[in-house]
Amino acid sequence: MASRYGNINGVQTTGASGETAGADGKRSTGVAASQEMAADDLPYINKYKRIIISAAGEHGVEPAVVAGIISRETRGGRGAGLQGGYGDHGNAFGLMQVDKRWHTPRGAWDSEEHISQGTGILTDSYSQIERKFPNWTKNQKLKGALAAYNMGASRVESYDKVDACTTGRDYANDVTARAQYYKRQGY
């Protein structure tokens, strides 16, 4: 699928930090750990493949990117601490963990409406990064948008420190590596 938001396979990534990988019991770190976690989540992500592809298509985003976010945020809906669709101490909703402090969650926690909302938040993040860093390539903006999805565009200060303020200090790199795995799985 062509995307106006860059090509996930063209985004450079260092993958998961030791903190993120260790929380999942992985001995490896980096791209290998991210892709191992993505593979663990694949059966759960596949349950939503049709609606991921549909919502991503509606917004012009590669479905693999949406799958990567869902894997990182909720491990495909099986994440520890996910209660009634809510995580993050009740502040984030659904497969894509839409933060209710900033957005009004829409749809059921695992619905296409919810995934479309989360994907729209990602594309809004891309637009904010595009305005803030007009000279970045599309692929750099995509990585910046992933960081902004996690922490807001105002906290993205430079490309070389894109994950400096994200959860685990690796959110954009980890999601990128997971998405690259999902791209190879037909997303």
Side-chain angles (χ1 to χ4, degrees):
M1 168 184 182
S3 169
R4 83 166 206 89
Y5 302 103
N7 173 353
I8 196 63
N9 282 336
V11 179
Q12 294 182 345
T13 181
T14 57
S17 66
E19 179 182 340
T20 297
D24 200 59
K26 303 301 179 204
R27 292 179 187 217
S28 61
T29 61
V31 172
S34 294
Q35 294 189 356
E36 186 179 342
M37 290 182 281
D40 291 346
D41 296 342
L42 184 61
Y44 304 93
I45 299 291
N46 278 342
K47 290 176 21 183
Y48 304 104
K49 187 172 187 175
R50 183 192 60 75
I51 62 176
I52 289 169
I53 291 170
S54 178
E58 175 187 334
H59 293 277
V61 174
E62 290 178 281
V65 174
V66 176
I69 292 171
I70 292 171
S71 175
R72 168 67 184 236
E73 291 288 351
T74 62
R75 305 304 306 272
R78 65 186 179 104
L82 197 61
Q83 301 290 326
Y86 282 90
D88 189 21
H89 309 289
N91 291 314
F93 180 73
L95 290 169
M96 295 185 76
Q97 291 292 275
V98 170
D99 193 321
K100 71 178 188 178
R101 296 167 292 193
W102 299 98
H103 308 279
T104 302
R106 296 195 317 249
W109 73 275
D110 62 350
S111 67
E112 184 171 346
E113 183 178 7
H114 162 72
I115 294 172
S116 181
Q117 179 185 22
T119 306
I121 292 166
L122 175 65
T123 62
D124 288 346
S125 296
Y126 185 96
S127 295
Q128 292 170 32
I129 292 295
E130 190 168 46
R131 284 191 299 276
K132 189 171 181 178
F133 302 104
N135 295 324
W136 284 10
T137 68
K138 283 184 177 186
N139 290 343
Q140 289 173 323
K141 291 172 189 172
L142 176 56
K143 192 171 182 181
L146 289 168
Y149 182 89
N150 178 251
M151 63 173 185
S154 65
R155 296 183 70 195
V156 178
E157 295 181 18
S158 67
Y159 187 73
D160 63 326
K161 296 180 181 175
V162 72
D163 272 328
C165 298
T166 64
T167 305
R169 292 171 305 285
D170 69 346
Y171 188 90
N173 278 290
D174 181 35
V175 170
T176 295
R178 291 177 195 232
Q180 290 169 347
Y181 171 85
Y182 290 122
K183 182 87 171 190
R184 292 192 305 274
Q185 306 310 310
Y187 281 85

